[in-house]
């Protein structure tokens, strides 16, 4: 055995072991139980295990692209359509409609957060007008939680990224969550709609949505903060060097340390 073939065999063994470990982590997150409700990773697991392998998923912005990149298991080509480059909020519904136009023989699913959906959902109407069915899987976590998590992870207490009422006593956006009925909104446009609050309801809604002949939306309330995170990765953003907040100063110092330790490109 040559040195090259030995190293290649060792690398293949190591890769197989790492894949086995990661498969176990994906299974753990797909089966994750949360006392407050449906975890986002569990909802993705139900979807991945329920829809047809030939189905196309479309996603673009928020925490979902990171979750799908880590967790989604594709078994057929041309089924995973992701807009990574600019995190274009609102692309999901229109992108799914485009995918349905391009390949009308496949089921197409838009995987979208409630923030992105509210920014741009009008092509849902166009899909009804053109008779091209898509299924919108709307993850409702009460706001722009991806940026909310980013704020809190860098010293801020968070501001303006949750859909909450403003409290009269303080003037701050710290009141209760807005009770937005996304399923009712979709029905008002002419689509079919379901709401799934747990894994069993979600699996049933997916089966029912597949039988529908027109665009369908499934509203999926998920617990904020139950997305994937970490795994030795971090987001390089600017953190103020000068602040009256000790948390911001600590976040700046941590960011500086990470940048210095990062491998040069």
């Amino acid at each position: 055995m040559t040195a090259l073939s030995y190293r290649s065999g060792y690398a293949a063994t190591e890769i197989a072991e790492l894949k086995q470990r990661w498969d176990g982590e994906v299974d753990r997150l797909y089966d994750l139980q949360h006392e407050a409700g449906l975890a986002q990773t569990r909802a993705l697991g139900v979807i991945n295990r329920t829809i047809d392998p030939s189905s196309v998923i479309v996603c673009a912005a928020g925490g979902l692209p990171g979750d799908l990149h880590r967790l989604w298991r594709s078994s057929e080509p041309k089924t995973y359509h992701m807009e990574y480059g600019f995190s274009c909020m609102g692309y999901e519904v229109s992108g799914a409609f485009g995918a349905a136009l391009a390949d009308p023989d496949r089921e197409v699913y838009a995987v979208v957060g409630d923030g992105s959906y509210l920014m741009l959902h009008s092509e849902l109407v166009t899909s009804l007008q053109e008779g091209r069915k898509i299924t919108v899987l709307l993850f409702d976590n009460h706001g722009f939680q991806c940026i909310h998590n980013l704020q809190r992870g860098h010293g801020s207490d968070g501001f303006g990224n949750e859909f909450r009422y403003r409290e009269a006593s303080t003037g701050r956006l710290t009141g209760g969550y807005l009770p937005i009925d996304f399923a009712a909104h979709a029905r008002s446009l002419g689509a079919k709609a379901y709401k799934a609050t747990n894994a069993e309801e979600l699996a049933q809604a997916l089966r029912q949505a597949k039988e529908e002949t027109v665009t369908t939306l499934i509203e999926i309330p998920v617990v904020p903060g139950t997305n994937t995170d970490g795994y030795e990765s971090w987001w390089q953003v600017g953190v103020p060097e000068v602040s009256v907040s000790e948390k911001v100063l600590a976040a700046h110092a941590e960011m500086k340390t990470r940048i210095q330790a990062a491998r040069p490109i």
Side-chain angles (χ1 to χ4, degrees):
M1 178 182 292
T2 65
L4 179 60
S5 62
Y6 174 79
R7 288 196 297 271
S8 299
Y10 178 80
T13 300
E14 184 181 22
I15 291 171
E17 291 175 351
L18 290 171
K19 182 182 184 303
Q20 184 178 29
R21 286 169 56 189
W22 186 250
D23 284 343
E25 175 66 359
V26 173
D27 287 336
R28 182 187 72 83
L29 292 170
Y30 273 6
D31 296 327
L32 188 66
Q33 301 285 344
H34 199 288
E35 60 183 11
L38 184 60
Q40 181 163 299
T41 60
R42 180 159 172 75
L44 287 174
V46 172
I47 296 165
N48 202 177
R49 291 165 173 170
T50 304
I51 67 174
D52 293 341
S54 61
S55 300
V56 178
I57 65 163
V58 179
C59 189
L64 285 165
D67 286 356
L68 291 166
H69 184 74
R70 291 181 173 117
L71 306 180
W72 191 260
R73 290 165 168 161
S74 297
S75 56
E76 295 188 17
K78 300 183 179 181
T79 59
Y80 182 84
H81 183 98
M82 198 66 47
E83 194 290 300
Y84 284 114
F86 297 98
S87 193
C88 295
M89 301 183 71
Y91 172 79
E92 297 89 347
V93 174
S94 57
F97 174 52
L101 288 172
D103 197 345
D105 294 328
R106 295 178 187 256
E107 291 285 323
V108 179
Y109 295 84
V111 184
V112 60
D114 52 325
S116 288
Y117 179 82
L118 287 173
M119 281 197 167
L120 184 61
H121 52 256
S122 55
E123 299 308 327
L124 188 151
V125 173
T126 312
S127 73
L128 293 166
Q129 181 183 19
E130 296 293 341
R132 292 298 175 94
K133 176 195 173 186
I134 61 173
T135 301
V136 178
L137 305 176
L138 193 152
F139 284 65
D140 179 11
N141 58 12
H142 306 294
F144 308 106
Q145 296 293 352
C146 177
I147 302 303
H148 192 216
N149 292 338
L150 183 64
Q151 286 179 323
R152 291 180 295 176
H154 291 82
S156 170
D157 291 325
F159 174 76
N161 279 309
E162 291 192 294
F163 298 144
R164 292 181 178 273
Y165 287 108
R166 191 179 296 277
E167 292 194 79
S169 59
T170 63
R172 297 181 178 275
L173 293 168
T174 53
Y177 288 123
L178 296 172
I180 303 171
D181 191 336
F182 292 101
H185 173 262
R187 291 190 195 101
S188 75
L189 299 176
K192 300 293 184 178
Y194 301 90
K195 184 172 182 177
T197 61
N198 56 51
E200 292 72 24
E201 289 179 358
L202 178 54
Q204 179 62 21
L206 288 165
R207 289 189 288 267
Q208 291 175 313
K210 183 182 177 182
E211 299 303 315
E212 299 289 358
T213 58
V214 299
T215 288
T216 303
L217 180 142
I218 302 176
E219 179 182 347
I220 312 167
V222 294
V223 180
T226 56
N227 53 291
T228 61
D229 191 22
Y231 300 107
E232 301 180 13
S233 64
W234 47 280
W235 198 342
Q236 184 177 342
V237 296
V239 182
E241 185 175 0
V242 179
S243 175
V244 297
S245 169
E246 292 296 327
K247 291 192 298 183
V248 173
L249 295 177
H252 174 81
E254 182 180 0
M255 178 63 69
K256 188 175 181 179
T257 299
R258 284 177 166 176
I259 292 172
Q260 291 172 342
R263 183 175 62 188
I265 298 176

